[in-house]
Amino acid sequence: MNRDGSDLSSLSDEDDYQGDNGSEMDDDDEDQDVTFDFSAPPQQRIHTDKFNPVSFDFQEVGLPSLVKNYNDYMGGIDHLDRTISFYRMKFRTKKCTVRVILHMIDFTTSSAWIAYRNNMTELEEPKKDILYYFAFGLSIGNTLIYG
């Protein structure tokens, strides 16, 4: 008996069992193993050097392309998190909506400053003419308040 009073004995019959999508499952379906291969095909495998502390030299090891792509693009997020941490809006509140809104403002300000700095660098502006993060945030605030 179940808590709600229904009888569970009918569920033990394997002949009446249906899968999640409503189709009946055969005994053959249970015996199939599913394997996932997340590594890249052999022609796309990348090799990198790894230090071996026993022999004190570098050895070439295979690196899946998934890991290579992660390592190539993870720097942007780390840089964004670092710039957010410089001048985070600090308000003591327990309301998660306020925290999310403040984080969104921090996120957009930081990403806008990174884009601004990259554009100014591409235009080969002198480094003294590129605003620092704090000054950039103040100019955004002045623009929003005074127009």
Side-chain angles (χ1 to χ4, degrees):
M1 286 292 234
N2 196 357
R3 251 190 302 189
D4 59 357
S6 62
D7 190 17
L8 296 177
S9 63
S10 65
L11 293 177
S12 64
D13 297 334
E14 293 181 13
D15 296 335
D16 296 335
Y17 182 74
Q18 291 186 346
D20 291 338
N21 60 359
S23 63
E24 290 186 19
M25 293 183 64
D26 298 332
D27 289 335
D28 297 337
D29 291 340
E30 295 174 2
D31 298 334
Q32 294 178 357
D33 291 331
V34 176
T35 57
F36 296 100
D37 184 19
F38 291 107
S39 62
Q43 68 269 17
Q44 293 181 357
R45 291 202 49 103
I46 298 134
H47 295 283
T48 186
D49 292 331
K50 182 178 178 182
F51 182 73
N52 186 354
V54 175
S55 63
F56 291 105
D57 63 345
F58 288 92
Q59 295 176 344
E60 190 173 287
V61 294
L63 183 70
S65 63
L66 184 69
V67 174
K68 172 81 167 88
N69 287 337
Y70 173 76
N71 289 340
D72 288 344
Y73 298 109
M74 73 176 210
I77 298 299
D78 293 338
H79 189 65
L80 184 65
D81 286 339
R82 189 181 69 187
T83 57
I84 288 174
S85 70
F86 288 155
Y87 297 104
R88 180 180 297 274
M89 290 188 201
K90 296 177 183 169
F91 288 100
R92 292 178 56 128
T93 180
K94 293 185 179 180
K95 296 186 182 285
C96 69
T97 54
V98 174
R99 287 183 175 191
V100 167
I101 290 170
L102 293 177
H103 183 71
M104 285 184 198
I105 293 170
D106 286 336
F107 186 89
T108 54
T109 305
S110 297
S111 59
W113 177 72
I114 291 171
Y116 161 77
R117 195 185 62 183
N118 289 341
N119 287 340
M120 295 297 274
T121 305
E122 286 176 5
L123 294 174
E124 297 177 358
E125 290 289 327
K127 198 168 187 174
K128 64 179 180 137
D129 292 341
I130 300 175
L131 294 175
Y132 291 107
Y133 180 66
F134 185 73
F136 184 78
L138 284 177
S139 68
I140 290 175
N142 285 333
T143 305
L144 290 174
I145 291 172
Y146 299 115

